[in-house]
Amino acid sequence: MAASAQLALPSVRPRVGHKPRRRTVTSRATTATATKESAKSKESAYAKELEVATDAVRMASTLCQEVQGQLMRQDEQAVTKDDKSLVTLADYAAQAIISWRIQQEWPDFTMVGEEDAEALVSGGEGGAETLEKITALVNKTLRFHKGDAAPVLSTTELVTLIDKGKGSGGLGRHWVLDPVDGTLGFVRGDQYAIALALMEDGDLKVGAMGCPNMPKMGEVLEYDSSYTYGFSPRLVSKMLAGESLGWFKGCLFTAVKGEGAFMTPCDASLNVEPVPVQCSATFDPKTAKFCEPVMKANSSQGFTASVADNLAMTSKPLRVYSQVKYGSVARADADVFMKFPKAGYKEKIWDHAAGVIIVEEAGGKVTDAGGVPLNWAGGRYLDTLDRGIVATSAALHERLMDAVSQSWGSSQL
């Protein structure tokens, strides 16, 4: 959720051509009360990193919500990059503002990020105009969050900050960032995430993931073949009436290795202590859900359905854009996350790093389809990945691996 009512976004809109039933199903999110000491990680060796990551993701969430509102009003539009993926002002601006915040503490930091400023610098007048908009957006957000202490950044400084994401990764200490994960969901007014992680020698240490449109209580809309996050008609009516609803959406997940995973509002002004989240402790096939990407092009929905059938799961899948899916598993909205892309697809580390440490610290286990932990030290891509990625509770993981093996014998992606 944005840090101010002026920057807040309307509720998520149903996808075109799909008519959801007018009822909601409440998730089994774990929201036990956390002690102030554990929530703030006062004794953590990574307390400063967690503080900076949380602050950076909150600022990025604010500007992303503003841009998403502009997209919904058609004041702005996304453009298509050379690799056919979408990019918006928010992708560049979020990477810049997060880089700025990290740089305040560690001037020589390195980052593996999704974006770079090449198109802005070499894009002629169009690129220069876009860069001016990005600079204005970042400076506006800095003023909103930092007040009189906010700097006024130039376009040259913005280019340098965006290009901090050109790091090659590998061994050493690196931040990993997807400034707007799930850009298709973002431009459609749906779910997306700002996903930031810190790794050292291939070991994930800190994660912060802002999910500005994610319902606090995991409410979902039911479609003919799936569920997706949404809000009840009653809550939408209250939103449109301008009622003060407190924390009802906008979830920021944080994790430090060995210290658990927590959820707090994206909007810091709500002043809510972080609450711990945990993956499902038990598995009941009759009520369990699995989540997967929305688009068939991103993962084989037929194969994941086969795996779910082998687990005797009867529920429709929860289909969600972006790393919000990892948040769904971490707080037990779903028991399993599966992604099985087409053969030859190379997963990028920024598409998973933040979500993985959050699930693992919530008591879950994330591996490839062969049961091997993901290799973060191999550079910008997960080159050694076996077929796909699965995330679930540690207790269910072995059964899930068996189900994947059964399905793989009769189906090739």
Side-chain angles (χ1 to χ4, degrees):
M1 184 175 182
S4 123
Q6 293 179 333
L7 300 178
L9 185 77
S11 60
V12 173
R13 304 183 304 174
R15 299 192 302 279
V16 175
H18 295 263
K19 295 182 179 180
R21 294 183 177 89
R22 293 176 65 86
R23 71 182 185 89
T24 58
V25 180
T26 303
S27 76
R28 295 170 286 119
T30 300
T31 54
T33 303
T35 63
K36 292 183 179 180
E37 288 75 20
S38 63
K40 294 182 179 179
S41 300
K42 290 184 177 180
E43 305 301 322
S44 170
Y46 292 91
K48 175 56 68 174
E49 287 85 349
L50 177 62
E51 176 189 339
V52 170
T54 302
D55 188 34
V57 169
R58 276 207 166 104
M59 289 193 293
S61 296
T62 298
L63 69 81
C64 284
Q65 287 295 81
E66 179 166 11
V67 174
Q68 195 178 46
Q70 293 171 353
L71 291 167
M72 294 304 97
R73 296 190 300 270
Q74 298 185 343
D75 295 337
E76 286 292 343
Q77 61 183 8
V79 298
T80 303
K81 296 190 290 186
D82 291 341
D83 65 0
K84 307 302 181 184
S85 64
L86 294 173
V87 67
T88 70
L89 295 180
D91 295 81
Y92 296 117
Q95 185 153 310
I97 204 166
I98 289 173
S99 293
W100 175 85
R101 182 64 184 90
I102 296 172
Q103 188 171 264
Q104 302 313 297
E105 303 296 334
W106 303 282
D108 297 326
F109 79 99
T110 60
M111 175 185 283
V112 182
E114 180 172 13
E115 306 303 339
D116 63 63
E118 182 179 356
L120 301 174
V121 175
S122 62
E125 292 183 4
E129 181 181 353
T130 301
L131 182 56
E132 290 285 355
K133 289 181 179 181
I134 294 166
T135 304
L137 177 62
V138 169
N139 284 327
K140 176 182 178 181
T141 307
L142 286 172
R143 287 194 303 273
F144 179 79
H145 282 271
K146 304 301 179 183
D148 293 339
V152 178
L153 301 178
S154 67
T155 55
T156 300
E157 290 173 309
L158 260 289
V159 168
T160 301
L161 290 169
I162 294 169
D163 277 342
K164 291 295 289 186
K166 288 183 174 181
S168 58
L171 296 176
R173 176 178 162 115
H174 311 285
W175 292 89
V176 182
L177 173 66
D178 194 332
V180 180
D181 186 45
T183 306
L184 183 58
F186 180 70
V187 301
R188 290 181 172 181
D190 209 316
Q191 299 297 323
Y192 68 98
I194 300 100
L196 178 65
L198 174 67
M199 67 176 183
E200 294 180 347
D201 293 330
D203 191 16
L204 297 175
K205 298 295 187 181
V206 177
M209 184 172 70
C211 308
N213 288 336
M214 189 180 195
K216 174 193 174 187
M217 298 305 295
E219 286 187 310
V220 296
L221 296 175
E222 183 179 5
Y223 292 83
D224 289 338
S225 60
S226 66
Y227 294 104
T228 191
Y229 284 122
F231 300 98
S232 67
R234 180 183 179 188
L235 184 58
V236 171
S237 295
K238 290 183 177 181
M239 293 165 62
L240 295 175
E243 293 187 29
S244 178
L245 299 174
W247 183 19
F248 72 98
K249 76 163 188 169
C251 301
L252 198 162
F253 294 88
T254 59
V256 173
K257 187 168 184 178
E259 299 180 16
F262 296 84
M263 185 177 74
T264 190
C266 286
D267 183 354
S269 69
L270 293 175
N271 196 29
V272 176
E273 286 291 335
V275 292
V277 294
Q278 293 181 341
C279 297
S280 302
T282 60
F283 176 67
D284 181 353
K286 295 180 180 179
T287 59
K289 290 189 179 72
F290 73 93
C291 61
E292 64 181 356
V294 174
M295 306 300 293
K296 293 180 180 179
N298 294 336
S299 180
S300 173
Q301 295 180 356
F303 184 77
T304 54
S306 173
V307 175
D309 187 60
N310 286 333
L311 289 169
M313 297 172 66
T314 58
S315 174
K316 302 172 185 177
L318 175 63
R319 290 180 180 154
V320 184
Y321 293 102
S322 80
Q323 288 182 66
V324 169
K325 292 182 284 292
Y326 283 112
S328 303
V329 173
R331 72 179 194 185
D333 290 359
D335 300 78
V336 176
F337 161 48
M338 296 182 280
K339 182 182 180 185
F340 290 91
K342 294 179 181 179
Y345 179 78
K346 295 174 66 175
E347 294 282 0
K348 297 93 171 174
I349 65 172
W350 55 78
D351 283 330
H352 300 279
V356 168
I357 188 173
I358 288 164
V359 167
E360 291 179 341
E361 288 302 311
K365 188 171 182 179
V366 184
T367 69
D368 65 19
V372 178
L374 307 186
N375 176 22
W376 305 107
R380 295 174 67 88
Y381 296 92
L382 296 169
D383 285 326
T384 60
L385 195 69
D386 180 1
R387 292 169 290 176
I389 294 176
V390 296
T392 187
S393 66
L396 180 59
H397 186 266
E398 186 174 351
R399 286 183 63 182
L400 178 58
M401 290 295 93
D402 290 341
V404 169
S405 296
Q406 291 175 39
S407 293
W408 191 261
S410 58
S411 174
Q412 294 295 314
L413 297 182

